[in-house]
Amino acid sequence: MTFQPLLPGLLPRPPLCLPPGSHQLWSFPELSREDRCRHAKALGLAGECLVDSLLLRYGLSVMRLPEFTAIDRLVLHPAQILRLQVKTTTVRQNGGWCFNAHHGYGRSPQGLRPYEPDAFDLLALVVLPENAVFFTAERRSRHRVRDTELAMIKAEPRLSLEAAFWSLGLSVPGPDAPVLDAPLEPDVPSIP
């Protein structure tokens, strides 16, 4: 029995399988409220990927977790494994970018709920239209990044991550950084 291999051009190309309406994201960040809501999962994933990119550039391994888990990522710091929660915003409000650190879904019976005090170690606040990430270890339910802070965050994206590590009692990973057994006092300026 002979076999004729398929030749290019003999079969039609399969159609590109994009989620319905995803072409609307092409005009990001100029999206309507409806389009932002419709594509909230994709925009949230874009924020998580931006955080992954930053952490990987600084030599930190990142583990993505399934969507149904309580945290978004595990960050492998040399001294310990850190639980990371990522919050993304796409809309500027009153001279800044606002974040609500809640979990759940507003239309579910449980609704939106604050995180438990020990639910995560680090919080990454992503201003997606500006490609900026601010890291913090503060466990407040509301956070705000002012426009005046955004330039510093974009110019020195590692500063907030270093400050968050120091506030957790962790050293800043580097080529000569030791693995810590005890917390050190921070030697870096605090970020507002």
Side-chain angles (χ1 to χ4, degrees):
M1 175 193 245
T2 60
F3 173 74
Q4 173 65 45
L6 298 176
L7 301 173
L10 291 181
L11 294 177
R13 213 182 212 170
L16 185 59
C17 297
L18 294 174
S22 62
H23 62 280
Q24 296 155 342
L25 289 174
W26 190 255
S27 61
F28 180 83
E30 285 81 32
L31 298 175
S32 68
R33 179 179 169 86
E34 293 79 22
D35 285 341
R36 282 194 316 270
C37 289
R38 183 177 304 116
H39 300 289
K41 290 278 188 189
L43 295 171
L45 180 59
E48 291 175 6
C49 291
L50 182 60
V51 170
D52 291 349
S53 171
L54 271 177
L55 294 173
L56 288 169
R57 281 182 261 172
Y58 299 137
L60 293 165
S61 295
V62 181
M63 295 175 59
R64 183 177 178 184
L65 298 175
E67 190 173 321
F68 58 83
T69 56
I71 54 176
D72 295 317
R73 300 288 190 271
L74 292 176
V75 178
L76 305 181
H77 183 280
Q80 73 181 66
I81 298 173
L82 301 171
R83 298 163 299 160
L84 175 69
Q85 187 64 44
V86 179
K87 295 297 178 187
T88 302
T89 191
T90 59
V91 178
R92 187 176 167 275
Q93 299 173 356
N94 303 323
W97 305 84
C98 299
F99 300 86
N100 291 317
H102 294 98
H103 65 110
Y105 179 61
R107 294 186 182 137
S108 73
Q110 294 84 15
L112 290 173
R113 303 170 309 281
Y115 285 101
E116 297 298 322
D118 63 344
F120 57 87
D121 302 305
L122 285 174
L123 181 62
L125 306 173
V126 180
V127 180
L128 197 56
E130 299 290 335
N131 292 317
V133 180
F134 180 79
F135 294 92
T136 182
E138 291 185 53
R139 290 170 178 82
R140 293 181 285 138
S141 62
R142 293 190 185 274
H143 294 267
R144 179 182 171 96
V145 173
R146 294 180 193 90
D147 287 339
T148 56
E149 300 167 322
L150 200 54
M152 182 186 70
I153 292 168
K154 290 172 71 172
E156 297 289 340
R158 199 178 61 215
L159 284 181
S160 66
L161 181 60
E162 290 176 353
F165 284 158
W166 285 116
S167 70
L168 292 171
L170 299 173
S171 66
V172 174
D176 301 322
V179 176
L180 295 180
D181 291 330
L184 295 176
E185 288 300 315
D187 194 23
V188 296
S190 63
I191 296 177

